[in-house]
Amino acid sequence: MTKILHTADLHLRELDDERWQALELILDQTKKIKADVLTIAGDLLDHDSVSIRFRDQLRQIFSVQPFKIVILPGNHDAHSFPPGSFLGENVHILLQSDDSIAVDNVIIRGLPYQLQQQPSTASAIAALTQNLNKNHTNIVLIHGELTDLFFDSSDYGDEGSKRYYPFSLRAFAGTDVDYLLAGHYHTHSHLKHLPNIRLSKGGYFLYPGSPVSITTKENTPRCIWLIVPDQPPQEIALTSFYYHQLNLNLRPDSTPHVLEEFEQQLKSLPKNAKPLIKVGGYFDQTVLKKNEVELNDTIRQLASRYHAQYSGFEFSAINVDQVVNSSLYHQLVTQINQTIQDQSQQEALVELLIKAMTQP
């Protein structure tokens, strides 16, 4: 049975950095599971100027693979693959909407990226879907923004507020598209059903998320996806580089034990993770046994011990020992605990109380 691995948004810009290493991991994983095809739905390269510089290196690592590689240009590499570009006998670049590749009973087509508004996008989708073969499994690659869902612009990387090839799943309703494999959305994977019933369990839309952290917004482990015709897509974990958000939110009753727990979190992170550390909340230095300077230094030392290349350190914790040791504070906290039964509500009100008592 045909196996397809899907990814997008590698944004290659340097040789042998974390992004290039992620590409090598993906190629190894594709070979390991004996997939027939690897699809890359846009932004393989971070910008068009990288194309010539990387052309030979990509050709070398692609051409030795025992599977086909299908590349759809995205907004970052829309002009990186001029007609006639050669990356290997097994590499197919979808430059036109009528370009296609057949693998067994599967036909893969693409909607090449263009900077245009939704009516034009809808017309391009309509033209492509009218020519699909009902007797095959139809896979379409697309690189753009799914308007059915609300995303923050940072979910697409450093794109700003500009719109990139917006499309709706409604445009694919009633068509013969079985799998719509997308790119452009970085933060995490997103799987939805397509509004058609050709497959036994319906069709699928998939954003795989970037397979390596491009910005600090991609702060969870990365993955790629396996597609087998007439089955739901399956997530496959990658050991590629990613940012990991670690939050230490202190409370007035926090003891040195919270620092031991935080150290264990740092220690347990895999080597391919770079922690983003955020220390906040309010604490009592007589209970925590550290003042603000000592606490800041301790957290930085722990981070350096286990992850020399930690980044994104943010320290906003405030020592409020004078407030929480006052008789007024204890009286008000007692009233809150006697009046409110829900612990989370108690904690929220106590935090508001501390904020009010620390205002000038």
Side-chain angles (χ1 to χ4, degrees):
M1 184 171 289
T2 306
K3 295 180 181 178
I4 298 111
L5 274 184
H6 178 59
T7 190
D9 299 291
L10 274 146
H11 288 268
L12 299 176
R13 60 182 180 183
E14 299 291 343
L15 290 175
D16 299 322
D17 66 355
E18 293 96 344
R19 302 181 190 184
W20 189 269
Q21 291 164 13
L23 174 61
E24 293 176 333
L25 281 172
I26 292 170
L27 296 174
D28 289 343
Q29 186 67 256
T30 308
K31 188 186 306 181
K32 181 180 178 180
I33 69 169
K34 298 181 179 180
D36 302 282
V37 185
L38 170 65
T39 56
I40 305 173
D43 290 356
L44 169 64
L45 306 176
D46 193 49
H47 46 82
D48 289 322
S49 63
V50 175
S51 175
I52 296 177
R53 184 156 52 96
F54 281 3
R55 188 77 56 80
D56 189 50
Q57 287 85 352
L58 287 173
R59 185 183 297 141
Q60 289 181 39
I61 64 171
F62 283 166
S63 61
V64 297
Q65 303 304 325
F67 47 83
K68 298 181 185 298
I69 300 171
V70 181
I71 299 173
L72 179 79
N75 58 294
H76 277 256
D77 54 8
H79 306 291
S80 295
F81 311 101
S85 298
F86 179 72
L87 294 178
E89 296 286 352
N90 56 332
V91 179
H92 303 265
I93 304 171
L94 303 177
L95 297 176
Q96 305 293 332
S97 59
D98 56 354
D99 291 344
S100 66
I101 173 175
V103 183
D104 297 330
N105 199 45
V106 176
I107 296 182
I108 302 173
R109 292 178 172 82
L111 285 160
Y113 170 80
Q114 297 180 44
L115 183 58
Q116 58 188 17
Q117 298 302 312
Q118 193 166 357
S120 298
T121 308
S123 299
I125 293 172
L128 180 142
T129 56
Q130 287 174 2
N131 296 316
L132 299 180
N133 191 321
K134 295 179 180 293
N135 299 317
H136 291 76
T137 297
N138 291 306
I139 294 178
V140 174
L141 306 184
I142 189 169
H143 188 91
E145 299 179 29
L146 177 63
T147 58
D148 302 58
L149 302 172
F150 174 77
F151 296 127
D152 186 89
S153 60
S154 61
D155 289 323
Y156 301 108
D158 297 324
E159 305 289 6
S161 59
K162 189 179 293 184
R163 302 303 304 274
Y164 291 91
Y165 210 60
F167 65 94
S168 170
L169 295 186
R170 292 187 298 275
F172 296 89
T175 70
D176 294 319
V177 175
D178 300 302
Y179 296 90
L180 182 62
L181 306 182
H184 192 55
Y185 179 78
H186 289 190
T187 312
H188 57 264
S189 300
H190 203 95
L191 180 65
K192 287 180 67 69
H193 277 283
L194 278 177
N196 61 50
I197 54 173
R198 268 172 51 86
L199 302 182
S200 60
K201 296 182 180 179
Y204 297 92
F205 165 83
L206 173 63
Y207 266 137
S210 59
V212 59
S213 286
I214 306 302
T215 69
T216 55
K217 192 74 179 285
E218 299 92 38
N219 53 29
T220 57
R222 307 284 88 196
C223 69
I224 52 178
W225 286 76
L226 172 65
I227 290 88
V228 177
D230 205 26
Q231 295 182 19
Q234 301 174 41
E235 182 178 338
I236 297 178
L238 283 178
T239 57
S240 56
F241 163 80
Y242 72 98
Y243 291 104
H244 187 99
Q245 184 69 53
L246 282 179
N247 297 325
L248 177 59
N249 191 37
L250 297 169
R251 295 159 36 90
D253 58 355
S254 294
T255 68
H257 183 62
V258 301
L259 298 179
E260 297 172 5
E261 293 178 341
F262 191 73
E263 180 177 5
Q264 287 301 313
Q265 292 182 54
L266 283 166
K267 189 176 181 180
S268 63
L269 281 181
K271 292 183 179 180
N272 57 304
K274 181 183 287 189
L276 304 168
I277 299 172
K278 185 175 182 179
V279 183
Y282 302 94
F283 69 98
D284 181 349
Q285 70 176 25
T286 62
V287 178
L288 191 62
K289 307 300 183 185
K290 293 187 184 298
N291 60 33
E292 292 177 3
V293 171
E294 293 168 335
L295 177 61
N296 176 74
D297 291 344
T298 298
I299 297 296
R300 287 184 179 274
Q301 290 168 9
L302 289 174
S304 298
R305 181 183 305 169
Y306 298 104
H307 297 273
Q309 294 186 332
Y310 73 90
S311 62
F313 189 92
E314 181 180 336
F315 186 94
S316 60
I318 299 174
N319 170 40
V320 290
D321 61 336
Q322 293 183 346
V323 170
V324 300
N325 290 310
S326 68
S327 58
L328 176 59
Y329 174 82
H330 284 287
Q331 291 174 12
L332 293 173
V333 169
T334 299
Q335 292 181 16
I336 289 173
N337 293 338
Q338 291 175 348
T339 306
I340 306 297
Q341 301 300 317
D342 183 86
Q343 184 177 352
S344 61
Q345 293 182 13
Q346 291 176 357
E347 294 173 354
L349 286 173
V350 169
E351 184 171 337
L352 289 173
L353 172 61
I354 294 174
K355 288 181 179 179
M357 294 184 69
T358 54
Q359 294 298 316

